[in-house]
């Protein structure tokens, strides 16, 4: 029985438009698809679900394909672009203000994810959908930066527990989200996991300076940035929170910085980060579905880790980004605790996870009343079971 999922024309067209560069051959192929697609409702729905509606509208217009869309779907995609332009302009303005505040205190931050990509790859014209701002700081600067921003009008998401306060810079990848007037920012201190801080520091130290309005900001070098984006994508997939826009980020970054990214150092860093398979499985769709060419040594690396199931899984994700089960929660929870340095910090994290604050419980479980939030505490205590279950549970 053939279990390989079939890719629809609408899905192939969507994939083909998730990039910034189009040669003549690709343009002809995409035009033929656009002329034959009939289910524009499905196409538009996928574009929105995958967070690429603004980019898709832009590229349909650039290639002269908008005429193929019924007006209602053309208008819907156009509205997504307008919303993106407004939101991104707001995020960049607020980020520039945060940069100025922290610069006054001698704290340098590096832009991550959508902010850096929008400014350097997408062209700062609203094509990269993003909801908040993500920045990287030195671990030793994180708490000080957080306190400075709190003194400047920012409000923190509730801490999970008071027990976590002494270890904030050692748990997870970033501190609790800070917000001000609808703008949200996450202060990251770790990107690649426990024991890999040398890679995080390398990305930080080798960042380059660009201008944002009248302010100097820093962005990662392309090779380490790609590796981080791959790890970020992988973590989102573990939580069933991924979108096609995260793969598109890899495509457009390679399109622009191919010579700087595609070198054997990329594999060396992947080995150092313990993510050879993670990298190989995320580059395979770029080669096999987007048609990005790689040199022989990189193809050998991909073939070493090749698994047909990974492509099939990607196609299922393409069809339904939110309809895939989360795998092995127990293993992930054990891994999170393992990555926290020091037994005393692990103990504080675990105890705080079992007994969160009422404020956190109300936000986490969307409860208005404290008594209703308290009913969810048994769910937290159930995490003990995560630690007792086997790694294959």
């Amino acid at each position: 029985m053939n279990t390989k999922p079939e890719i629809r024309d609408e899905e192939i067209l969507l994939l083909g438009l998730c990039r910034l560069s189009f040669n003549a051959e690709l343009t002809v192929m995409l035009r033929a698809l656009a002329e034959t697609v009939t289910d524009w409702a499905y196409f538009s729905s996928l574009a929105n679900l995958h967070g690429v509606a603004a980019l898709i509208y832009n590229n349909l217009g650039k290639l002269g394909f908008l005429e193929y869309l019924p007006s209602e779907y053309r208008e819907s995609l156009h509205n997504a672009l307008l919303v993106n332009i407004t939101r991104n302009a707001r995020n960049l303005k607020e980020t520039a203000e945060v940069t100025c505040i922290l610069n006054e205190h001698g704290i340098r931050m590096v832009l991550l994810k959508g902010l850096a990509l929008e400014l350097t790859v997408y062209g700062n014209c609203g094509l990269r959908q993003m909801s908040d701002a993500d920045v990287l700081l030195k671990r030793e600067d994180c708490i000080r930066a957080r306190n400075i921003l709190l003194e400047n009008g920012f409000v923190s998401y509730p801490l999970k527990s008071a027990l976590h306060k002494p270890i904030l810079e050692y748990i997870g990848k970033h501190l609790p989200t800070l917000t001000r007037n609808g703008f949200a920012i996450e202060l990251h201190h770790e990107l690649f996991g426990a024991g890999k801080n040398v890679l995080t520091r390398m990305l930080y130290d080798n960042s380059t300076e660009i201008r944002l309005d009248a302010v100097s900001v820093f962005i990662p070098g392309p090779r380490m940035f790609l590796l981080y984006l791959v790890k970020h994508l992988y973590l989102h997939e573990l939580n069933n929170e991924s979108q096609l826009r995260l793969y598109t980020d890899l495509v457009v970054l390679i399109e622009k910085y191919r010579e700087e990214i595609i070198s054997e150092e990329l594999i060396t860093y992947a080995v150092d980060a313990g993510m050879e398979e993670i990298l190989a499985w995320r580059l395979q769709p770029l080669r096999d579905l987007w048609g990005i060419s790689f040199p022989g040594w990189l193809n050998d690396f991909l073939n070493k880790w090749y698994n047909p199931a990974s492509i099939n899984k990607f196609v299922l994700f393409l069809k339904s980004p939110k309809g895939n089960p989360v795998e092995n929660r127990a293993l992930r929870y054990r891994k999170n605790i393992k990555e926290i340095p020091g037994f005393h910090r692990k103990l504080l994290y675990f105890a705080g996870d079992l007994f969160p604050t009422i404020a956190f419980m109300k936000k986490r479980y969307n409860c208005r009343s404290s008594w209703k939030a308290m009913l969810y505490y048994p769910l937290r205590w159930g995490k003990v079971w995560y630690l007792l279950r086997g790694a294959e549970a």
Side-chain angles (χ1 to χ4, degrees):
M1 182 175 68
N2 182 13
T3 59
K4 183 177 180 180
E6 182 179 345
I7 304 182
R8 296 174 53 174
D9 286 346
E10 290 82 2
E11 295 157 0
I12 298 174
L13 179 60
L14 187 71
L15 275 179
L17 290 169
C18 284
R19 61 198 313 155
L20 292 173
S21 300
F22 301 89
N23 59 32
E25 181 181 359
L26 178 60
T27 301
V28 170
M29 185 272 284
L30 293 176
R31 180 177 295 278
L33 279 171
E35 290 174 343
T36 58
V37 161
T38 57
D39 196 346
W40 288 107
Y42 177 64
F43 175 88
S44 300
S45 174
L46 274 188
N48 280 292
L49 285 173
H50 279 290
V52 293
L55 177 65
I56 294 302
Y57 179 83
N58 176 80
N59 287 343
L60 287 170
K62 180 164 66 174
L63 296 173
F65 295 172
L66 285 174
E67 62 181 288
Y68 301 119
L69 274 72
S71 59
E72 58 186 297
Y73 304 119
R74 187 164 61 243
E75 182 177 351
S76 173
L77 294 176
H78 184 219
N79 287 340
L81 175 60
L82 296 179
V83 169
N84 257 21
I85 291 172
T86 302
R87 183 192 295 121
N88 290 6
R90 165 82 180 282
N91 283 350
L92 291 169
K93 176 179 179 294
E94 295 287 347
T95 299
E97 291 185 14
V98 169
T99 301
C100 290
I101 292 171
L102 295 184
N103 282 350
E104 290 176 359
H105 294 81
I107 298 175
R108 179 169 77 92
M109 66 185 194
V110 177
L111 307 187
L112 298 173
K113 302 183 193 176
L115 283 173
L117 291 163
E118 175 74 358
L119 288 173
T120 62
V121 180
Y122 286 98
N124 195 15
C125 49
L127 301 186
R128 178 36 163 90
Q129 178 179 307
M130 54 178 161
S131 55
D132 55 15
D134 296 89
V135 300
L136 174 66
L137 301 169
K138 293 179 181 178
R139 188 186 299 277
E140 56 267 31
D141 286 339
C142 263
I143 298 300
R144 187 160 67 98
R146 169 184 165 84
N147 291 335
I148 290 169
L149 294 180
L150 289 174
E151 292 169 0
N152 281 270
F154 280 85
V155 177
S156 174
Y157 278 14
L159 295 183
K160 186 178 289 186
S161 168
L163 295 173
H164 287 179
K165 191 171 182 179
I167 58 172
L168 280 180
E169 68 268 45
Y170 295 99
I171 57 179
K173 302 297 185 292
H174 58 79
L175 303 184
T177 303
L178 299 174
T179 64
R180 185 177 70 177
N181 300 324
F183 169 70
I185 186 168
E186 292 183 347
L187 308 180
H188 291 250
H189 52 75
E190 177 55 71
L191 303 180
F192 295 100
K196 315 300 180 188
N197 194 254
V198 63
L199 295 176
T200 300
R201 194 56 179 259
M202 185 184 300
L203 182 147
Y204 182 91
D205 290 342
N206 295 330
S207 59
T208 57
E209 185 176 351
I210 64 171
R211 301 295 293 179
L212 172 56
D213 295 331
V215 180
S216 291
V217 296
F218 291 84
I219 59 166
R223 188 181 302 124
M224 291 299 295
F225 196 15
L226 180 92
L227 199 62
Y228 161 63
L229 290 174
V230 167
K231 182 64 178 286
H232 172 64
L233 166 57
Y234 163 72
L235 293 175
H236 271 278
E237 288 180 331
L238 285 182
N239 292 316
N240 188 28
E241 297 172 347
S242 186
Q243 292 177 302
L244 194 58
R245 68 187 170 105
L246 302 183
Y247 279 94
T248 304
D249 291 342
L250 307 182
V251 172
V252 298
L253 197 63
I254 291 175
E255 282 181 332
K256 182 162 185 177
Y257 297 108
R258 180 183 178 88
E259 297 304 316
E260 296 177 60
I261 291 173
I262 306 301
S263 82
E264 295 191 19
E265 280 191 330
L266 179 66
I267 307 303
T268 300
Y269 294 144
V271 172
D272 291 342
M275 49 183 289
E276 303 100 304
E277 183 180 51
I278 293 171
L279 176 63
W281 281 26
R282 275 77 202 168
L283 291 184
Q284 283 174 15
L286 273 59
R287 181 189 66 180
D288 299 343
L289 298 178
W290 268 273
I292 294 179
S293 63
F294 294 131
W297 60 266
L298 185 51
N299 283 323
D300 290 341
F301 169 76
L302 299 186
N303 293 336
K304 173 184 175 182
W305 295 98
Y306 182 74
N307 184 344
S310 68
I311 292 294
N312 292 346
K313 187 175 180 179
F314 176 86
V315 174
L316 292 174
F317 150 77
L318 175 61
K319 296 175 180 293
S320 180
K322 300 301 180 184
N324 305 294
V326 177
E327 298 180 4
N328 211 332
R329 293 178 184 271
L331 183 60
R332 294 198 348 270
Y333 189 72
R334 293 161 68 100
K335 185 175 183 296
N336 287 341
I337 293 183
K338 184 179 180 181
E339 289 190 343
I340 299 172
F343 177 76
H344 67 293
R345 295 190 184 99
K346 288 180 170 64
L347 186 60
L348 284 173
Y349 174 79
F350 184 51
D353 212 26
L354 291 180
F355 299 99
T357 64
I358 288 293
F360 173 85
M361 294 293 287
K362 289 171 71 173
K363 183 174 181 63
R364 172 66 178 82
Y365 297 103
N366 194 26
C367 301
R368 293 185 178 181
S369 63
S370 298
W371 69 265
K372 186 175 181 181
M374 292 176 66
L375 297 177
Y376 286 92
Y377 273 106
L379 291 180
R380 311 300 303 183
W381 303 333
K383 286 196 172 186
V384 174
W385 181 239
Y386 285 169
L387 293 180
L388 299 178
R389 293 170 63 186
E392 298 302 320

